[in-house]
Amino acid sequence: MLQVAILRQQTEWVKERLAIKNFSDLHLVDEVIALDDRRKQLNFQFDETQAGINKASKEIGGLMAKGEKDAAEAKKAEVAALKTTLQPITEQLAIVEKELQDTLVKLPNLPSALVPQGKTPEENVTVKEWGEVPALYEGAQPHWELIKQYDLVNFELGVKVTGSGFPVYKNKGARLQRALISYFLDYNTAAGYTEYIPPYMVNEATAYGTGQLPDKEGQMYYMPADNFYLIPTAEVPVTNLYREEIIKSEELPIKMTAYTPCFRREAGSFGSDVRGLNRVHQFDKIEIVQLVHPEKSYEVLDEMVAHVEQLVQSLGLKYRILRLCGGDMSFASALTYDFEVWSAAQKKWLECSSVSNFESFQTNRMKIRYKDEKGKSQLLHSLNGSSLALPRIMAALLENNQTEKGIAIPKVLQPYFGMDWIG
RNA sequence: GGUGAGGUGGAUGAGUGGCUGAAAUCAACGGUUUGCUAAACCGUCGUAGGGUCUAAAGCCCUACCGAGGGUUCGAAUCCCUCCCUCACCGCCA
């Protein structure tokens, strides 16, 4: 959620920025300002009238104590009259405040100056590409064949137990998942991230805090009996741990990491995009989240990108880093870098991480603040990234490391996996 | 799931209709004293919206004592609904 003050102070600049995100309802900016004007006006009237009521009520107390009954009754009539004028003001104020809120949440975050113009994923900018295309042997298979061949993941069983898109990991497939999770978490905690295991279901307030609600409820699994949502990413519960907190400056930055399963309904896609592990409804992901001083957030974004990069590199996977263009960025992000690993048998890039700076967009909703030198509360900046999402990493690992004899396990994973080979 | 107790500022905790945005203690912060540390003493110490002001400071107003509604001239205090926490019992990994 954008801060109204910024819309007021830099209206034209805000519109220019929104245009880069291909946001066309620019009139909403003016609407917000108009609603805020109206809100202030009504709020003032409310305060003045309420002050009158409070004052008179106090006087009644004094009059009653002195036994001046008639004067007290006269005051009561005065209060009654004020209450009559107050009622429509209160009603109007509630309507305007709701409208203001509803309008404000429709505005996406402003893209940073680094965000390239563009509408489609093709217009993302590749900022780095690393690694060699693996030389595969004749007859190399895509990962959905490999997982059958080595009995690592069974989709049919998932369909039986739940439905399509709920893979069952088995044998060394399950073990590899566990190894990846442990390795990633160890890597993150070594870099100073505090490890958490959060709940996998969240309430409405939490889903609202990170921006899943309103609007995106269709993308989450929902449990009506308890009014809970299954988390689409650890970002949701983890960032909300600090919701409505004022954090001491000396405690910054807050660095958190968590492994969670992630649940996504996302219907729609088809073909090779959804084959095998490319897109599933339940998958595992390790997330990193930081809450930082606003002046540090871009520095920290670079640091997080470098952190994820070294992790991907350590697995020996070919990857590229993209700076997302305005049209491909998420609603809440100010700047996003996507990591894609090369899937050698599918011969395509698979997204395995997305690292974003949200500036104060999320923290404004969640009221996550710190005290500046003057003792004033200010919003922090929030950032998060995947380090990493497992299914596509697994797909790339299986495909890129396959040989006639089996699948080689990267050195860094061997201590976790307990062997160097799936054969 | 049942029964009982309760949700007040960073923490403990007082407060059953007006003088309570909230005692007291602790913590924290600033200062005085002091070889250092400790102790003692003095002071400050919730959040948000608005007004006044060139601006800051200050001053003033409004809202907030789990959430929402109600009673009343007036509610932290009374009533209703919901949420949550704790204890005991039941069930259970």
Side-chain angles (χ1 to χ4, degrees):
Chain A
M1 190 166 69
L2 293 171
Q3 292 171 262
V4 179
I6 291 167
L7 303 195
R8 300 192 79 105
Q9 286 155 16
Q10 306 187 64
T11 313
E12 288 316 304
W13 175 78
V14 165
K15 288 184 185 173
E16 283 166 30
R17 291 278 98 204
L18 287 174
I20 289 178
K21 244 188 170 175
N22 295 311
F23 181 78
S24 48
D25 291 338
L26 295 179
H27 65 277
L28 290 181
V29 175
D30 300 312
E31 268 174 44
V32 166
I33 294 170
L35 284 165
D36 193 49
D37 284 339
R38 183 90 184 106
R39 197 209 93 236
K40 278 190 190 180
Q41 192 194 349
L42 286 164
N43 206 280
F44 182 76
Q45 289 174 19
F46 177 90
D47 283 357
E48 294 294 298
T49 313
Q50 189 58 248
I53 292 173
N54 290 347
K55 190 162 168 281
S57 296
K58 245 177 207 181
E59 286 165 9
I60 291 170
L63 292 170
M64 300 280 258
K66 283 189 274 177
E68 292 178 35
K69 223 165 171 240
D70 291 346
E73 287 305 321
K75 281 281 171 198
K76 280 193 195 180
E78 195 182 303
V79 171
L82 283 172
K83 283 182 105 173
T84 311
T85 62
L86 188 64
Q87 202 198 351
I89 297 170
T90 312
E91 282 164 9
Q92 270 301 306
L93 186 60
I95 292 167
V96 169
E97 276 176 345
K98 182 167 188 315
E99 240 175 277
L100 175 61
Q101 187 68 10
D102 290 351
T103 312
L104 203 50
V105 297
K106 284 182 191 152
L107 296 173
N109 200 0
L110 308 177
S112 93
L114 282 169
V115 170
Q117 206 134 19
K119 287 190 165 57
T120 64
E122 285 70 43
E123 290 167 274
N124 295 334
V125 174
T126 304
V127 295
K128 183 163 181 182
E129 200 168 319
W130 183 93
E132 302 295 321
V133 177
L136 295 187
Y137 67 103
E138 196 67 36
Q141 303 283 313
H143 72 271
W144 52 84
E145 298 299 339
L146 295 169
I147 59 178
K148 274 189 200 158
Q149 188 183 332
Y150 295 103
D151 197 20
L152 303 175
V153 183
N154 189 319
F155 283 97
E156 290 71 30
L157 284 176
V159 170
K160 188 202 310 197
V161 173
T162 306
S164 75
F166 289 88
V168 171
Y169 294 82
K170 199 181 162 189
N171 287 328
K172 295 193 177 130
R175 192 183 179 90
L176 182 56
Q177 288 286 302
R178 184 153 55 88
L180 286 165
I181 291 165
S182 295
Y183 170 53
F184 293 166
L185 281 172
D186 284 354
Y187 176 80
N188 292 340
T189 54
Y193 291 89
T194 303
E195 184 175 343
Y196 284 88
I197 300 178
Y200 303 152
M201 295 180 210
V202 295
N203 58 30
E204 236 175 297
T206 298
Y208 177 83
T210 22
Q212 275 67 35
L213 297 181
D215 271 13
K216 300 187 187 78
E217 48 268 270
Q219 293 172 23
M220 291 185 292
Y221 288 97
Y222 174 58
M223 293 148 153
D226 298 287
N227 201 18
F228 291 153
Y229 295 86
L230 277 175
I231 57 170
T233 159
E235 165 200 343
V236 176
V238 169
T239 316
N240 271 281
L241 294 172
Y242 281 91
R243 177 154 45 94
E244 279 148 49
E245 297 282 339
I246 297 175
I247 301 167
K248 294 197 178 90
S249 309
E250 58 266 29
E251 286 170 28
L252 296 173
I254 305 286
K255 299 171 78 175
M256 300 176 280
T257 185
Y259 152 70
T260 70
C262 302
F263 303 90
R264 298 195 180 173
R265 292 186 70 215
E266 47 198 349
S269 206
F270 57 90
S272 69
D273 278 352
V274 298
R275 286 204 75 174
L277 292 166
N278 288 353
R279 177 171 299 183
V280 286
H281 288 310
Q282 179 186 322
F283 63 96
D284 294 318
K285 182 158 65 66
I286 287 80
E287 189 77 0
I288 49 177
V289 176
Q290 290 209 38
L291 300 171
V292 306
H293 190 283
E295 278 168 23
K296 301 259 174 68
S297 65
Y298 280 94
E299 194 183 303
V300 168
L301 179 65
D302 289 344
E303 170 203 310
M304 287 170 76
V305 167
H307 177 83
V308 172
E309 184 178 3
Q310 280 170 38
L311 184 57
V312 181
Q313 252 185 43
S314 76
L315 294 169
L317 295 170
K318 176 181 169 60
Y319 66 88
R320 64 177 187 180
I321 304 174
L322 306 174
R323 184 183 289 141
L324 296 194
C325 72
D328 200 29
M329 290 168 73
S330 75
F331 188 79
S333 173
L335 181 59
T336 297
Y337 291 96
D338 269 10
F339 280 72
E340 296 182 337
V341 285
W342 181 249
S343 169
Q346 297 182 71
K347 295 194 170 45
K348 65 195 271 187
W349 294 103
L350 299 178
E351 183 189 333
C352 66
S353 177
S354 186
V355 186
S356 303
N357 185 359
F358 301 97
E359 298 191 4
S360 60
F361 195 80
Q362 293 184 323
T363 55
N364 189 29
R365 275 197 185 195
M366 285 185 274
K367 299 283 168 274
I368 304 179
R369 293 160 293 173
Y370 73 104
K371 294 266 191 196
D372 66 15
E373 316 73 49
K374 288 182 186 158
K376 243 192 118 194
S377 304
Q378 304 283 359
L379 294 171
L380 286 165
H381 282 190
S382 69
L383 305 96
N384 68 52
S386 351
S387 86
L388 296 160
L390 296 221
R392 294 172 186 165
I393 289 289
M394 179 140 165
L397 280 176
L398 297 177
E399 292 185 13
N400 298 12
N401 296 351
Q402 61 182 307
T403 69
E404 284 98 332
K405 294 182 297 176
I407 295 156
I409 299 298
K411 224 179 174 64
V412 289
L413 282 178
Q414 289 171 12
Y416 295 93
F417 191 62
M419 46 201 117
D420 53 7
W421 204 257
I422 296 175

